Amino acid sequence: DVKVTQSSRYLVKRTGEKVFLECVQDMDHENMFWYRQDPGLGLRLIYFSYDVKMKEKGDIPEGYSVSREKKERFSLILESASTNQTSMYLCASREAGGPYNEQFFGPGTRLTVL
Amino acid sequence: GENVEQHPSTLSVQEGDSAVIKCTYSDSASNYFPWYKQELGKRPQLIIDIRSNVGEKKDQRIAVTLNKTAKHFSLHITETQPEDSAVYFCAASRESGGYNKLIFGAGTRLAVHP
C-alpha cells in the first residue's frame, strides 16, 4: 500500500515567514507533485519533480520553490509567506513510466498565513 | 492555457437516484482521464479512469464515458448511497516538455440525501 505523508496537517504562520512543507513517500516513486487546493479552483499544480534533484514549474509557481535531495522526500518552500498563500497543500507521488500510473495523494497540510 | 471545465459545481440527489458529472477538456492530445473522490477531511483517491482509446468503462455502480470528438467525459454514479457524498474531481493528462501532468477540474460537491 502506497503511503504518502506530509509533515503537518495544520500550520499557522505569519506574513513574511519562511515556511517548509515536507512530503515523504515510501514506494520508491520517481515522480512527485505539489498542488494547492482552493474552493472552486480545484487542484492546481505548483511544482513537480520527475527525479532526484530535478524540478519543473507547474501552473502557479510564483512565491514557491521546491527541493528534492532524496528520492522519497519532496519539500515545498514558501520563501516569504503571504496571506494569499493560505490554502490546503497536497503532495502526490506516482511511479514513472507514462501518464497511466495512478497518482497517490498525501493527507494535505492546511496552511493559514496571518 | 490548457484547462478542464467541470459541471456542476454542486449536485444534490436522493439516495437511489443517479448522479452525472461532466467535464470538458481543451487539449486534444490528452489521452488519460482519471476521476478522484475526496471525502470530507480526507485525501483525494482514484475511483476510476479511462484511456483515450476506450469509449466507456464501468466498475460496479460507477462508469465513465469519453467522447474524444467533443472533448468531454462524464462520471455516472447509479443507485447513489450516502457514502457517495464527497467532492469529485475530473482530470486530463497532458504532455508538456516531455512530461505528463494532470490538469484538474474545479470539483463537484455531491450530496446524497437519505
Side-chain angles (χ1 to χ4, degrees):
Chain A
D1 223 17
V2 175
K3 184 179 278 187
V4 182
T5 58
Q6 295 182 228
S7 51
S8 305
R9 290 301 305 271
Y10 300 94
L11 208 53
V12 180
K13 296 291 181 180
R14 296 207 175 274
T15 301
E17 280 193 79
K18 190 168 186 176
V19 182
F20 293 85
L21 303 182
E22 305 285 339
C23 175
V24 177
Q25 50 92 7
D26 66 356
M27 284 301 291
D28 204 36
H29 285 171
E30 290 82 5
N31 303 167
M32 296 188 75
F33 307 84
W34 274 107
Y35 295 88
R36 64 176 282 175
Q37 180 178 9
D38 299 289
L41 297 177
L43 304 170
R44 294 180 292 166
L45 183 64
I46 304 171
Y47 265 96
F48 62 100
S49 170
Y50 278 85
D51 208 343
V52 179
K53 296 191 185 293
M54 174 274 178
K55 58 186 178 184
E56 291 285 339
K57 292 180 180 179
D59 299 315
I60 51 165
E62 296 77 19
Y64 304 94
S65 62
V66 290
S67 173
R68 183 119 182 251
E69 295 298 316
K70 293 186 177 182
K71 192 175 185 180
E72 67 271 19
R73 188 179 299 268
F74 191 34
S75 302
L76 180 69
I77 304 156
L78 286 67
E79 297 291 343
S80 177
S82 63
T83 54
N84 62 12
Q85 292 178 311
T86 291
S87 186
M88 171 68 84
Y89 291 87
L90 289 165
C91 173
S93 74
R94 183 183 71 188
E95 190 175 346
Y100 308 131
N101 293 329
E102 181 177 350
Q103 200 162 285
F104 294 88
F105 285 89
T109 295
R110 184 165 295 281
L111 172 68
T112 301
V113 182
L114 302 175
Chain B
E2 304 301 334
N3 71 305
V4 175
E5 292 189 3
Q6 183 172 347
H7 299 280
S9 56
T10 60
L11 182 58
S12 183
V13 301
Q14 290 297 126
E15 183 177 1
D17 287 351
S18 294
V20 180
I21 302 170
K22 299 181 179 182
C23 290
T24 59
Y25 59 98
S26 57
D27 184 1
S28 57
S30 294
N31 57 2
Y32 174 62
F33 308 91
W35 285 86
Y36 283 80
K37 175 184 180 182
Q38 186 179 29
E39 296 178 16
L40 190 63
K42 297 190 176 180
R43 70 191 75 194
Q45 292 193 298
L46 180 72
I47 55 170
I48 195 167
D49 56 15
I50 191 167
R51 300 186 186 188
S52 58
N53 58 348
V54 176
E56 184 175 356
K57 184 177 178 180
K58 191 173 181 179
D59 183 3
Q60 298 183 333
R61 294 186 299 107
I62 60 173
V64 57
T65 58
L66 171 65
N67 184 327
K68 285 192 66 180
T69 303
K71 290 191 286 187
H72 66 68
F73 57 112
S74 300
L75 177 71
H76 304 254
I77 307 174
T78 59
E79 300 172 30
T80 53
Q81 300 168 5
E83 52 264 39
D84 294 329
S85 296
V87 178
Y88 291 81
F89 293 99
C90 64
S93 178
R94 70 176 168 100
E95 183 178 343
S96 176
Y99 304 111
N100 288 287
K101 296 182 287 187
L102 291 179
I103 305 299
F104 286 87
T108 296
R109 184 174 298 279
L110 172 65
V112 180
H113 301 285

